[in-house]
Amino acid sequence: MTLPPAGWDADGLARLMAALGGADGQARYVGGWVRDALAGAPPGDLDIATSLAPAEVIARAEAAGLSVWSSASGLQHGTVGVVIGGKGVEVTTLRRDVTTDGRRATIAFTDDWREDAARRDFTINALSADPVTGSVHDYFGGLADLAAGRVRFIGDARARIAEDHLRILRFFRFHARFGNGAPDDEAYAACTARANDLMALSRERIADELIKLLGGPRPAGAIRSMIDGGVLKPVLPDIDADGAARLEALIAAEGAAGIAGDAVRRLAALLPADAARADLIAARLKLSNAIRKRLGAALASNAEARPRVLAYRLGPVSAVDRLLLAGQVDAAAAIHGWTPPRLPVSGGELVARGLDAGPVVARALREVETIWLDEDFPDAARARAIADQVAARLTGGA
């Protein structure tokens, strides 16, 4: 099997591969880009592996007129960044693991392509491709697994999880994206048996994987499998079968409304349907303030039944979140993509109509806004007429 065309900046990529000795077998495309291209999925980041040492990569890339960046940590792990057509390409020297502790690995450089592939997690992620011919190198049956919709660990699944505990969550994320049917038996058994290993990971890494999984096209089955197998229980015991059912209902509502799936909205469905409780979980996961605010808006109780007013009060994104979570498909579809107008009257305009600046104006502005919303966002002329009426009443005018 051969790889489809790269779809990248052809000239810059050709210069880089020529500099790295791609025609002589010293550099290949590797990892997710190869997997996605073969699967017909939109390609993500382009990664290159090479038998050259990092210092040699830098020297050759710069000699080819390409911009290079690196960091101490990146160089320690053999990774150099090269800019191609305004995009970053990571070039990493072939590696083997010396020691692992479940969170990080100590590596040594190698010139053995199979040895480098063997340190990856799943067979479908261990594929590499010749930059000249496009021919794919497959040491562990990744092509057959990709065709069959099967996600398998390379070698012994429990041993691979012991090397990096995050692979438990990565397994379910990749199964949701590439898998067909039930998860691989050996992999699933290993993930459920070693679920407690997740407790050694930072909550940020757990949250990152969970968000990536929920943002994929088919997360519900994977989430259900994780809950059934007790995989999330050691680190997220609040996520249960009820949350899985809410997630499934939300995904159905997204589809019915023609609204793209959204990871944060889906997380809101998965978490307990209580804003305060969900916020505590979000804090434990160290989610950003923006995400926590959005989760709170999606899950808070609110009696407002008018979709456009809800969008005005909460913002369109949070309003769509709340409506879809409530199963109000038509209402969500109606405001999706709609931008609420701003109230065309300001406090200064009310002062110009004779009201005293301060609490009186604030109260009058709220009254104007309430009438304007009740009339479903009339134009500026009508808003000014409403302001005239409110100001006249409060100043004792006609």
Side-chain angles (χ1 to χ4, degrees), residues 90-158:
E90 289 192 346
V91 181
T92 302
T93 302
L94 299 178
R95 301 173 290 182
R96 61 182 176 84
D97 289 342
V98 177
T99 61
T100 60
D101 64 2
R103 291 175 295 175
R104 61 186 67 84
T106 301
I107 60 98
F109 299 137
T110 180
D111 59 1
D112 187 325
W113 286 94
R114 182 185 178 92
E115 191 172 35
D116 181 84
R119 70 182 296 275
R120 300 176 187 272
D121 45 15
F122 311 116
T123 63
I124 62 174
N125 290 342
L127 302 169
S128 59
D130 186 287
V132 177
T133 66
S135 60
V136 176
H137 299 266
D138 177 16
Y139 301 105
F140 306 106
L143 287 173
D145 287 339
L146 194 62
R150 182 173 53 237
V151 180
R152 287 191 303 120
F153 284 96
I154 297 170
D156 179 77
R158 295 194 187 204

Side-chain angles (χ1 to χ4, degrees), residues 8 16 20 46-48 50 53-55 57-62 65-84 86-93:
W8 210 266
L16 176 59
L20 297 177
L46 179 59
D47 293 316
I48 295 170
T50 179
V57 171
I58 293 173
R60 291 193 181 198
E62 289 180 338
L66 298 168
S67 297
V68 175
W69 84 92
S70 60
S71 66
S73 175
L75 290 175
Q76 182 181 356
H77 290 88
T79 299
V80 174
V82 181
V83 178
I84 301 291
K87 300 179 182 179
V89 175
E90 289 192 346
V91 181
T92 302
T93 302

Side-chain angles (χ1 to χ4, degrees), residues 172 175-176 181-183 188 213-214 217-229 244 247-248 251:
F172 289 99
H175 176 72
Y188 186 65
L213 167 57
L214 291 171
R218 299 177 298 154
I223 290 290
R224 179 72 71 173
S225 294
M226 295 169 81
I227 292 170
D228 290 346
L247 174 63
E248 290 161 358
I251 292 173

Side-chain angles (χ1 to χ4, degrees), residues 21-392:
D24 301 321
Q26 292 180 294
R28 297 178 189 170
Y29 304 128
V30 295
W33 188 86
V34 177
R35 176 203 65 222
D36 291 350
L38 292 169
D45 294 335
L46 179 59
D47 293 316
I48 295 170
T50 179
S51 55
L52 303 173
E56 183 71 11
V57 171
I58 293 173
R60 291 193 181 198
E62 289 180 338
L66 298 168
S67 297
V68 175
W69 84 92
S70 60
S71 66
S73 175
L75 290 175
Q76 182 181 356
H77 290 88
T79 299
V80 174
V82 181
V83 178
I84 301 291
K87 300 179 182 179
V89 175
E90 289 192 346
V91 181
T92 302
T93 302
L94 299 178
R95 301 173 290 182
R96 61 182 176 84
D97 289 342
V98 177
T99 61
T100 60
D101 64 2
R103 291 175 295 175
R104 61 186 67 84
T106 301
I107 60 98
F109 299 137
T110 180
D111 59 1
D112 187 325
W113 286 94
R114 182 185 178 92
E115 191 172 35
D116 181 84
R119 70 182 296 275
R120 300 176 187 272
D121 45 15
F122 311 116
T123 63
I124 62 174
N125 290 342
L127 302 169
S128 59
D130 186 287
V132 177
T133 66
S135 60
V136 176
H137 299 266
D138 177 16
Y139 301 105
F140 306 106
L143 287 173
D145 287 339
L146 194 62
R150 182 173 53 237
V151 180
R152 287 191 303 120
F153 284 96
I154 297 170
D156 179 77
R158 295 194 187 204
R160 304 321 305 275
I161 290 171
E163 293 167 356
D164 183 353
H165 306 322
L166 194 67
R167 287 171 173 167
I168 294 173
L169 300 181
R170 283 173 59 82
F171 169 75
F172 289 99
R173 174 160 66 90
F174 282 103
H175 176 72
R177 186 176 176 193
F178 296 102
N180 289 326
D184 175 73
D185 288 341
E186 180 191 356
Y188 186 65
C191 288
T192 56
R194 299 205 63 122
N196 283 340
D197 290 353
L198 292 174
M199 297 174 71
L201 297 175
S202 71
R203 293 304 179 263
E204 292 96 329
R205 295 185 76 193
I206 292 170
D208 182 61
E209 278 298 318
L210 185 59
I211 290 289
K212 288 177 180 177
L213 167 57
L214 291 171
R218 299 177 298 154
I223 290 290
R224 179 72 71 173
S225 294
M226 295 169 81
I227 292 170
D228 290 346
V231 172
L232 292 174
K233 192 171 183 179
V235 289
L236 290 169
D238 300 279
I239 294 179
D240 56 18
D242 289 340
R246 289 192 297 270
L247 174 63
E248 290 161 358
L250 170 65
I251 292 173
E254 289 173 336
I259 295 174
D262 181 276
V264 176
R265 184 191 304 131
R266 290 172 174 181
L267 180 59
L270 194 57
L271 295 177
D274 175 272
R277 229 177 119 197
D279 188 63
L280 291 175
I281 298 168
R284 291 206 311 267
L285 291 174
K286 298 187 177 179
L287 297 175
S288 69
N289 288 336
I291 291 178
R292 289 177 63 180
K293 182 178 179 181
R294 185 174 165 195
L295 290 173
L299 294 171
S301 58
N302 190 302
E304 179 56 63
R306 296 166 294 176
R308 282 159 59 97
V309 175
L310 192 66
Y312 176 82
R313 297 291 193 197
L314 297 182
V317 172
S318 291
V320 168
D321 289 346
R322 188 176 295 183
L323 292 169
L324 286 176
L325 286 166
Q328 297 180 36
V329 171
D330 292 341
I335 64 167
H336 180 58
W338 177 67
T339 300
R342 296 182 63 181
L343 177 64
V345 175
S346 67
E349 291 176 78
L350 290 172
V351 171
R353 286 168 168 81
L355 297 181
D356 294 332
V360 173
V361 165
R363 187 169 66 252
L365 196 61
R366 287 194 298 272
E367 186 176 341
V368 171
E369 182 184 57
T370 297
I371 298 171
W372 181 68
L373 293 176
D374 287 342
E375 294 184 8
D376 196 25
F377 307 93
D379 62 17
R382 173 57 187 153
R384 286 192 291 270
I386 295 170
D388 289 340
Q389 294 166 7
V390 171

